[in-house]
Amino acid sequence: MNVLGIESSCDETSVAVISDGKLVANLISSQDFHVNYGGVVPELSSRAHLQIVLPLLKDALSESKLTLKDINVICATAGPGLIGALLVGLTFAKGLAYSLQIPFVPVNHIEGHVYSGFLMKDKPEFPFLAVVVSGGHTLLLLVNSFTEIQKLGSTVDDAAGEAFDKVAKMLGLGYPGGPKIQKAAEHGNKEKVTFPVADLADPFNFSFSGLKTSVLRYVQKSFKDNIIPDNERNNIAASFQDAVIRAITRNAERALNNFEIKSLSLVGGVAANQPLRDALTNLAARYNKRIVIPDMQFCGDNAAMITFRGMKLFESGKRFELTYNPFPGIPENHFSI
Amino acid sequence: MNIKPILAIEASGNLCGAVVYFDKSKYTEININIKNSHSGLLLDIIDKTLLYAGIGLKDLECIAISSGPGSFTGLRIGYSAVKGLAFGSSLPICPVPTFEAVALQLSHVLSEGTSFVIANKVNVEEVYYARFHIKSNNYIFAEKLEIIKASDLQERSKGYSSFGNAFNKDDEYSAPRPYYVAEWCKLFGAGLHTLNYDYIEPNYFKNFIVKESLK
């Protein structure tokens, strides 16, 4: 079976092909021009998706050494994400599936991340704890199978990736914040400032809004006119990054102590952060659990994970109508399309 | 000679519709005028339009699409669907200028010699504006399509019949019926058919300007 998938939820257009269970193409076109605006501009993102999706699909087929007629199922991200961006990939996929008279499978982007560890050689073992950390979401999920996900906790305000972006902006490091903070932190001392980690009534929930405000207050109090010397900027970045990592590892450890969990998987765009990868790897080692962290190409938005998730939905017997609409957010506790 | 039918799609405004156009008197057309229905219903409308016509995509000459200007999102839904449909069935695409398709539609109801303006909202401050004249049962441009200030519209349309949502938000002539998108393609679109549509996009007409840097 040959499955083709399309991702267009934010600022990456991606097309992937899985042939008989093997990933044979995963092309990603990143819209780097958003850097000029300090964040993703939805209208420009939508325009770029429409321009690039077909050439990218042709290249993915070429790389797969397949033709359109060889494709059996077409998947596309349905949400959450930027609605205008989602509409392009989803509608294109529906049109293509209709013209080829083959099934169309809409995919929840978060579920794509959750199962992205299965794109690796060493795969997660059910039930596993998925630590989903991205620009839009911070979630702790207990994943029991390909059809059952239990939400343990989520952020009550900002996502971790969002906090990285906002703090990077405060520090004048630019966009995107994740890599910029990590790079600055490499030259900083994380012990220099102790930023607080929110302790909420629900032990598995996160809050990064207070942390972000703490950084702002510290900057305003310590530096006149927000002029921050490089070494101080690096120290703040390191201290902030450490606080985020402490929050995530603390809640993940709580989950390990309270649920039967065979393995861990750190997924999402912020899973590219090396100190976070190291911290979760150390946590898993302490509990003698396997940890699966996808390769960098599967951490950011990519169609490989969408294609894999779509394939699993199709294999489980799920079928969808072409009237399926994209969704910008996910309803509370809802993870199955 | 066996002339193949055209599938034409209109999604540039509130109207979401499709037609399978064989000729002026033989066609199947489905329209839905419900805001924000395009994403969910467009493919279903196309499916049923083809079904009632008793044909499949492989039987078509081309797919015509109302190319704008209009709602950015509506135009992109139409273009995304059409790119998928056309590529999957190796069909050419024919982009049809939205205002001209409306003018063609109006040429069937307005009298010889009538001058008329079509104006649709861009935003609260601006409108897409074009002026036409009916001559020999067809339309000709009197003023080319442009973006003007909404505050200038009254003056610029004085003495002319006026159509479009800048005058009346529910005006039925703010977007063409798919039938006239198809007819425009049939009458004037022969040179516009293209299989080279990898990078094709709607005629947004208005460049999107990021007003304030997020930096």
Side-chain angles (χ1 to χ4, degrees):
Chain A
M1 182 170 72
N2 299 316
V3 186
L4 184 143
I6 297 167
E7 153 66 25
S8 71
S9 65
C10 190
D11 59 346
E12 256 107 21
T13 318
S14 180
V15 181
V17 179
I18 294 179
S19 179
D20 294 330
K22 187 183 170 198
L23 180 68
V24 290
N26 181 37
L27 303 185
I28 302 169
S29 169
S30 295
Q31 302 171 3
D32 295 335
F33 56 82
H34 294 292
V35 169
N36 299 326
Y37 307 105
V40 176
V41 182
E43 175 61 24
L44 297 182
S45 168
S46 305
R47 291 186 179 197
H49 285 304
L50 180 61
Q51 279 204 325
I52 205 69
V53 66
L54 181 52
L56 203 63
L57 182 138
K58 286 182 174 178
D59 287 349
L61 285 172
S62 172
E63 191 163 312
S64 312
K65 297 185 172 55
L66 294 170
T67 69
L68 211 47
K69 288 187 172 53
D70 299 319
I71 301 299
N72 306 106
V73 180
I74 293 182
C75 318
T77 305
L82 300 172
I83 191 70
L86 290 164
L87 277 166
V88 173
L90 194 76
T91 312
F92 174 77
K94 287 197 285 190
L96 192 55
Y98 177 79
S99 68
L100 297 170
Q101 293 293 295
I102 60 175
F104 155 75
V105 180
V107 173
N108 180 319
H109 180 84
I110 299 300
E111 291 182 12
H113 277 303
V114 166
Y115 295 104
S116 59
F118 287 89
L119 295 165
M120 304 299 294
K121 188 167 173 248
D122 293 320
K123 302 177 193 316
E125 188 182 0
F126 293 117
F128 70 88
L129 179 71
V131 182
V132 186
V133 197
S134 71
H137 300 272
T138 308
L139 294 157
L140 272 187
L141 305 171
L142 183 59
V143 186
N144 293 314
S145 67
F146 282 120
T147 53
E148 188 187 343
I149 299 173
Q150 181 187 348
K151 188 172 105 173
L152 303 181
S154 64
T155 180
V156 297
D157 40 55
D158 291 351
E162 196 179 351
F164 268 94
D165 283 342
K166 287 175 177 171
V167 168
K169 193 170 160 185
M170 279 177 215
L171 299 179
L173 291 169
Y175 174 88
K180 304 274 187 188
I181 293 270
Q182 184 184 327
K183 193 171 179 194
E186 283 167 9
H187 307 286
N189 175 7
K190 67 180 183 184
E191 313 291 342
K192 185 73 193 220
V193 194
T194 303
F195 291 120
V197 172
D199 213 349
L200 305 173
D202 186 321
F204 304 116
N205 276 347
F206 303 93
S207 168
F208 296 107
S209 180
L211 170 60
K212 182 187 67 187
T213 307
S214 294
V215 175
L216 179 65
R217 296 274 179 272
Y218 180 82
V219 169
Q220 287 173 335
K221 194 179 75 178
S222 309
F223 307 102
K224 199 181 170 196
D225 299 327
N226 281 5
I227 298 167
I228 312 168
D230 283 350
N231 65 324
E232 293 290 347
R233 182 181 287 114
N234 295 341
N235 291 337
I236 296 167
S239 302
F240 161 76
Q241 179 178 262
D242 182 61
V244 173
I245 292 170
R246 277 188 284 127
I248 293 168
T249 49
R250 181 199 63 190
N251 288 14
E253 184 164 9
R254 286 171 176 169
L256 286 170
N257 286 327
N258 284 277
F259 296 93
E260 187 196 327
I261 289 166
K262 290 195 174 159
S263 57
L264 278 84
S265 192
L266 171 65
V267 297
V270 183
N273 182 280
Q274 191 58 48
L276 179 60
R277 294 166 85 97
D278 294 342
L280 266 291
T281 301
N282 291 338
L283 176 69
R286 277 200 284 122
Y287 281 77
N288 200 25
K289 306 286 182 191
R290 178 194 301 178
I291 184 159
V292 178
I293 306 176
D295 286 348
M296 291 298 185
Q297 64 164 322
F298 304 128
C299 285
D301 293 344
N302 67 90
M305 66 181 194
I306 300 303
T307 311
F308 180 82
R309 180 58 183 149
M311 181 181 75
K312 286 293 168 191
L313 286 169
F314 183 76
E315 285 175 350
S316 71
K318 293 258 190 185
R319 298 294 180 267
F320 303 87
E321 300 293 330
L322 291 173
T323 48
Y324 200 97
N325 270 316
F327 48 92
I330 40 174
E332 190 75 6
N333 294 321
H334 180 88
F335 280 100
S336 287
I337 269 179
Chain B
M1 189 171 70
N2 184 23
I3 298 171
K4 288 183 169 183
I6 293 169
L7 171 68
I9 290 159
E10 167 53 45
S12 70
N14 284 355
L15 191 70
C16 175
V19 67
V20 172
Y21 179 100
F22 294 86
D23 58 45
K24 281 176 188 265
S25 57
K26 183 182 174 186
Y27 60 91
T28 59
E29 182 177 21
I30 299 176
N31 291 308
I32 292 181
N33 196 348
I34 298 173
K35 202 173 179 183
N36 301 332
S37 65
H38 303 35
S39 162
L41 297 181
L42 182 58
L43 263 297
D44 202 40
I45 288 171
I46 291 167
D47 179 43
K48 290 191 169 53
T49 309
L50 288 162
L51 180 73
Y52 298 152
I55 63 165
L57 288 167
K58 64 179 180 359
D59 303 311
L60 295 169
E61 179 187 333
C62 72
I63 305 178
I65 174 77
S66 177
S67 66
S71 150
F72 293 167
T73 302
L75 288 167
R76 266 195 298 273
I77 291 172
Y79 266 74
S80 301
V82 165
K83 276 192 182 189
L85 290 167
F87 182 59
S89 49
S90 303
L91 284 169
I93 291 175
C94 177
V96 172
T98 301
F99 272 46
E100 291 195 52
V102 176
L104 178 65
Q105 184 172 343
L106 283 163
S107 72
H108 288 259
V109 294
L110 297 176
S111 313
E112 180 72 12
T114 306
S115 281
F116 64 99
V117 165
I118 302 172
N120 282 339
K121 282 183 181 173
V122 179
N123 50 47
V124 289
E125 294 165 354
E126 297 171 308
V127 296
Y128 300 113
Y129 169 98
R131 188 160 64 83
F132 301 88
H133 192 74
I134 302 292
K135 189 177 178 186
S136 307
N137 293 322
N138 210 334
Y139 69 90
I140 55 170
F141 271 103
E143 285 185 84
K144 67 180 174 59
L145 180 66
E146 61 181 314
I147 293 174
I148 65 168
K149 287 180 185 170
S151 55
D152 292 341
L153 180 60
Q154 200 176 359
E155 182 63 28
R156 297 280 298 269
S157 54
K158 199 180 284 180
Y160 306 120
S161 300
S162 49
F163 303 93
N165 64 24
F167 299 104
N168 169 9
K169 73 178 176 63
D170 299 319
D171 189 80
E172 66 173 305
Y173 294 106
S174 60
R177 266 179 53 203
Y179 174 94
Y180 291 99
V181 176
E183 190 170 283
W184 195 97
C185 172
K186 202 83 175 172
L187 291 172
F188 311 117
L192 296 175
H193 291 207
T194 180
L195 283 161
N196 184 17
Y197 45 75
D198 279 13
Y199 297 97
I200 201 171
E201 58 179 352
N203 176 14
Y204 294 111
F205 204 78
K206 184 177 171 62
N207 285 331
F208 183 79
I209 295 162
V210 183
K211 286 184 178 170
E212 192 179 334
S213 170
L214 303 173
K215 276 179 183 173

